[in-house]
Amino acid sequence: MTPADLKKALDLLAHDGVVGMPTETVYGLAARIDRPEGLRRIFTTKERPFFDPLIVHVANVSQARALAKEWPKAAEILTRAFWPGPLTLILNKADSVNPLITSGLETVGIRQPDHPIALELIRQASVPLAAPSANRFGHTSPTTASHVQEEFRGQVHVIDGGPCQVGIESTVLRVREERGTTVLTLLRKGAITLEHIRKLLTSYNITLRFEEPTDRKQAPGQLKHHYMPDIPLIFVEDFKGDNDGVTAEANRRLHELPDDIEGVKIRKPTRPLAKAAFLNFQKDPIMAARELYSQLRDLSATGADHIIYRHDPVLCQGEAWEGLLDRLHKASSLRL
Ligand code: TXA
Ligand code: MG
């Protein structure tokens, strides 16, 4: 990043603009939280529905505390251990937080990203930045600056911070206190797992209860489909046939799907599928997650008309794979 890049980004942000910001997870589309027009522009640029709230990115814990109504002991412990890093905490919001950010909810998502450019940008702006992933709604998230350029056809200023090291979005965790018990709800899986969180908090003698997300209103990000590449992705788990069999089955089944589910456009072929590309992973879940979105984009650009992923339950065993598998399930048009 050149000083001119940073200055341009700060100028844009100050004038209700949005900026592509590198983080360690995925690139974000950032606006200042004190600029309602900038916040609105995030939604219109992404074609994102207003019911899906934004994560606020802070440069330090004191900025985070100012956004939350209460700061539970668990939040203090978790942020000390995992920030800066890929963990978003959902806390009761301070009155000052604009409902545009929270979609009218009483809670706000906050994280300190682990990327020098993001931290520098927030520090220089001297106000936190709201940022969802910098992709069109429902589409594959961006992990390089050029992915963001492609998403918005060069219409968004992006600061190039290199390829994202984590590669999938942050873990999203609701934290609240109820009569001396800390209640945790995992709203999105990510590199920091529930086991990491549980181990840490119990080592501080925090009494924990885990809750499943039930109320869709409180967990608006729980869409069935998301992260979809440009061509249909077929997730093969139980299907017994060979690859041609998968393609034939996909041809039978894909056209039965609705055009969109919960507002997310489902990838469906206009002609019978004929040429498959294949998604494979490295053995290490950290490396696999880092490359996932780039691979989905690259495979979509090979001239193939669908992507086949053959799930290997032996390779993908354990909690470290769950964040990645969750993305793949949601990115799939079909599971066989
Ligand atoms: O790693 C990340 O978290 C990236 C980078 C840019 O920081 N950001 C990101 O933002 O993934 P986005 O908007 O694509 O996903 C944010 C998720 C959504 O599922 C949203 O519904 C959920 O967090 N979320 C945000 N605020 C919430 C709240 N108050 N209550 C429940 N869920 C919330
Ligand atoms: Mg997103």
Side-chain angles (χ1 to χ4, degrees):
M1 176 189 60
T2 64
D5 269 347
L6 179 63
K7 181 168 182 313
K8 183 169 177 193
L10 289 165
D11 282 350
L12 282 165
L13 292 170
H15 292 92
D16 299 332
V18 293
V19 163
M21 169 177 80
T23 84
E24 82 283 29
T25 57
V26 301
Y27 275 70
L29 188 67
R32 292 173 60 108
I33 61 164
D34 60 351
R35 291 281 169 181
E37 275 315 310
L39 295 171
R40 270 193 206 98
R41 192 160 291 167
I42 290 178
F43 289 92
T44 50
T45 307
K46 272 185 67 101
E47 298 162 42
R48 176 177 174 119
F50 281 98
F51 66 74
D52 201 2
L54 307 174
I55 293 173
V56 180
H57 294 69
V58 296
N60 51 53
V61 169
S62 75
Q63 275 186 338
R65 292 181 77 135
L67 297 164
K69 186 166 239 148
E70 302 101 24
W71 189 252
K73 186 158 179 228
E76 184 61 29
I77 296 167
L78 289 167
T79 55
R80 258 197 222 152
F82 296 124
W83 279 11
L87 176 66
T88 296
L89 296 184
I90 307 289
L91 301 170
N92 291 338
K93 82 174 193 74
D95 293 340
S96 59
V97 178
N98 191 321
L100 266 175
I101 296 170
T102 62
S103 304
L105 296 174
E106 281 310 305
T107 54
V108 60
I110 314 170
R111 87 175 188 101
Q112 183 188 13
D114 189 13
H115 195 294
I117 291 178
L119 293 172
E120 183 64 15
L121 190 63
I122 302 163
R123 254 186 245 118
Q124 297 258 353
S126 40
V127 57
L129 302 177
S133 51
N135 50 276
R136 283 167 289 127
F137 184 65
H139 196 227
T140 308
S141 309
T143 52
T144 67
S146 55
H147 292 164
V148 184
Q149 297 289 7
E150 287 157 23
E151 280 294 304
F152 304 116
R153 302 199 170 82
Q155 299 301 301
V156 168
H157 175 66
V158 192
I159 307 179
D160 192 345
C164 300
Q165 294 299 297
V166 176
I168 59 171
E169 295 83 348
S170 60
T171 304
V172 177
L173 184 74
R174 168 81 169 116
V175 179
R176 63 189 173 87
E177 278 179 338
E178 210 179 85
R179 283 175 259 110
T181 298
T182 299
V183 186
L184 301 179
T185 313
L186 184 64
L187 299 177
R188 183 172 68 189
K189 291 177 178 175
I192 295 172
T193 66
L194 216 44
E195 187 55 17
H196 293 137
I197 291 165
R198 192 190 61 75
K199 257 202 193 135
L200 175 73
L201 292 178
T202 47
S203 78
Y204 281 86
N205 293 320
I206 301 276
T207 311
L208 293 179
R209 195 174 84 228
F210 292 92
E211 257 181 23
E212 289 295 315
T214 43
D215 184 354
R216 285 299 293 268
K217 281 207 204 84
Q218 299 308 316
Q222 311 264 316
L223 298 166
K224 284 198 203 71
H225 288 280
H226 214 116
Y227 320 111
M228 286 205 157
D230 285 335
I231 56 176
L233 168 66
I234 319 296
F235 188 111
V236 184
E237 203 163 8
D238 298 323
F239 188 78
K240 293 288 178 285
D242 62 7
N243 292 328
D244 287 343
V246 170
T247 302
E249 186 67 9
N251 276 323
R252 267 192 291 281
R253 300 265 298 275
L254 275 173
H255 74 272
E256 295 167 3
L257 295 174
D259 291 335
D260 70 274
I261 296 179
E262 298 169 321
V264 176
K265 193 168 165 281
I266 304 301
R267 300 290 174 257
K268 288 166 65 174
T270 44
R271 275 177 302 201
L273 300 175
K275 187 170 185 303
F278 296 91
L279 176 64
N280 292 299
F281 292 132
Q282 304 213 30
K283 288 196 171 60
D284 173 13
I286 293 172
M287 293 304 296
R290 189 176 293 171
E291 292 173 357
L292 171 69
Y293 290 139
S294 271
Q295 280 184 295
L296 289 178
R297 284 170 186 271
D298 291 349
L299 292 172
S300 298
T302 52
D305 52 19
H306 61 304
I307 302 171
I308 294 178
Y309 167 69
R310 286 195 170 261
H311 182 52
D312 179 350
V314 179
L315 171 68
C316 303
Q317 231 171 47
E319 226 189 353
W321 286 92
E322 286 182 9
L324 176 148
L325 289 174
D326 167 67
R327 305 308 189 276
L328 268 187
H329 289 155
K330 290 183 174 165
S332 305
S333 292
L334 199 61
R335 283 173 71 177
L336 297 177

